[in-house]
Amino acid sequence: MSGSVPEKATSCPDDGPGLRPDGYGTRGRESETVVEHDGSDTSAVSRQHGTSGRPETGSAGMGLRLDRVELAYADAAVVADFTLDIRLGEILVLAGPSGCGKSTVLRGLAGLLRPRSGRILADGELVTGPDRDRAMVFQDDALLPWRTVRANIELALRLRGTPRAGRRERADRWIEEVGLTGFGDHLPKRLSGGMRQRVQLARGLAGTPRAVLMDEPFGALDSRTRATMQRLLIDTWHTHPTTVVFVTHDVDEALLLGDRIVVLGRAGQPPRALLEVPRPRAAGADRTALRAEILAALDHSDDIAAMS
């Protein structure tokens, strides 16, 4: 995938994967930096801290920029000469067919994959590796199985530097916010997949990242649970603003969540469109014409079949 994203505005009116906050590895590795395997490659993930619009600070996200970036695995460039600005506090959705570089872009933003050329910037600072302010969301279940719901969330607070005396109270507030009151002492194995996803959302946001990079986190959920988690993400984002970059194959999910949608081409091809979503996340908004634009940007029949 090469080239800058083409600017284009439109006037058209309980099982699943989870959030892997920085610092959560295998048993005995609750350290500042860990190395984990997510099913495709080994990734270094570092502890988080930072702000996301909570009472402790006044910040609400971070601005991110990819500047003429090339990202590659071995000798194969997946993303080439790619430029994109991600606005502070927005939800930007990356959509496109499998293999087009969506997850690769996320890894670059997270500092898990260094560019072969070009620059990736976070609030104007060069990204050289994982950072506490950027949480990466993988598709696998990342809860520590020997820790209770409360203890999983308290771990994020400990890694952020929250004093021990305040951790339980804050963890309980997050448990209530994601609708799991009464389950604080449960181990993950006693929870449904959707409930585990709620815990992982709470744990990731309790670490106050200023940017959350989400790689199809709801892709394996049944339709009802997926809709519930989409609404929970929106509600939590409204309450605790942060910058979100969200990868999906699902056009309707992109339209529901995004302020803007980037439609990527196949690996080695330029992006196909950058679309503004009018009245983002407005209930009852007619997205029919915009949906047609997204599908038109996927100008190969196999791409459309993969996204529709």
Side-chain angles (χ1 to χ4, degrees), residues 96-274:
S98 297
C100 69
K102 303 183 299 294
S103 298
T104 301
V105 171
L106 282 194
R107 291 177 181 280
L109 290 169
L112 302 176
L113 180 63
R114 292 194 177 187
R116 194 151 67 178
S117 62
R119 303 180 304 160
I120 300 175
L121 305 174
D123 281 344
E125 298 292 328
L126 188 66
V127 172
T128 58
D131 185 86
R132 302 171 184 179
D133 280 340
R134 286 173 273 119
M136 182 73 187
V137 179
F138 294 102
Q139 295 181 14
D140 59 330
D141 188 332
L143 290 179
L144 300 179
W146 61 92
R147 283 180 168 263
T148 64
V149 167
R150 182 181 296 106
N152 265 283
I153 298 171
E154 286 179 339
L155 176 59
L157 296 169
R158 178 171 71 82
L159 294 177
R160 193 189 73 178
T162 301
R164 180 186 296 270
R167 290 177 201 161
R168 184 183 180 96
E169 179 184 357
R170 292 192 184 190
D172 284 343
R173 287 206 303 265
W174 276 106
I175 290 170
E176 180 181 3
E177 186 159 344
V178 298
L180 290 178
T181 300
F183 291 91
D185 294 323
H186 284 53
L187 292 172
K189 67 181 180 181
R190 297 181 60 194
L191 305 177
S192 69
M195 294 169 75
R196 290 196 302 270
Q197 175 69 3
R198 289 170 182 258
V199 179
Q200 292 179 109
L201 180 62
R203 189 180 68 173
L205 293 176
T208 60
R210 297 178 56 217
V212 181
L213 312 170
M214 308 184 77
D215 193 359
E216 297 190 78
F218 310 143
L221 298 174
D222 64 82
S223 58
R224 181 177 178 180
T225 305
R226 183 172 187 153
T228 298
M229 292 308 303
Q230 289 165 346
R231 177 50 54 188
L232 179 61
L233 173 61
I234 292 170
D235 291 345
T236 306
W237 175 80
H238 278 301
T239 306
H240 307 285
T242 188
T243 301
V244 175
V245 184
F246 191 99
V247 163
T248 184
H249 282 87
D250 188 300
V251 170
D252 294 315
E253 184 169 65
L255 290 169
L256 174 67
L257 297 176
D259 292 282
R260 295 186 298 159
I261 301 169
V262 180
V263 181
L264 304 183
R266 289 289 184 186
Q269 297 179 356
R272 296 174 182 171
L274 172 57

Side-chain angles (χ1 to χ4, degrees), residues 29-102:
R29 291 297 304 277
E30 297 166 6
S31 57
E32 178 151 331
T33 302
V34 299
V35 175
E36 300 179 338
H37 196 279
D38 65 11
S40 58
D41 68 338
T42 300
S43 304
V45 183
S46 69
R47 190 179 69 172
Q48 306 169 70
H49 79 289
T51 58
S52 58
R54 295 167 178 72
E56 293 91 337
T57 72
S59 179
M62 64 165 42
L64 299 165
R65 176 174 173 80
L66 297 102
D67 182 17
R68 300 182 66 85
V69 165
E70 179 176 319
L71 297 167
Y73 297 107
D75 294 327
V78 180
V79 174
D81 195 27
F82 182 57
T83 296
L84 175 66
D85 287 295
I86 301 165
R87 302 166 183 164
L88 185 148
E90 77 169 328
I91 299 179
L92 179 82
V93 176
L94 300 177
S98 297
C100 69
K102 303 183 299 294

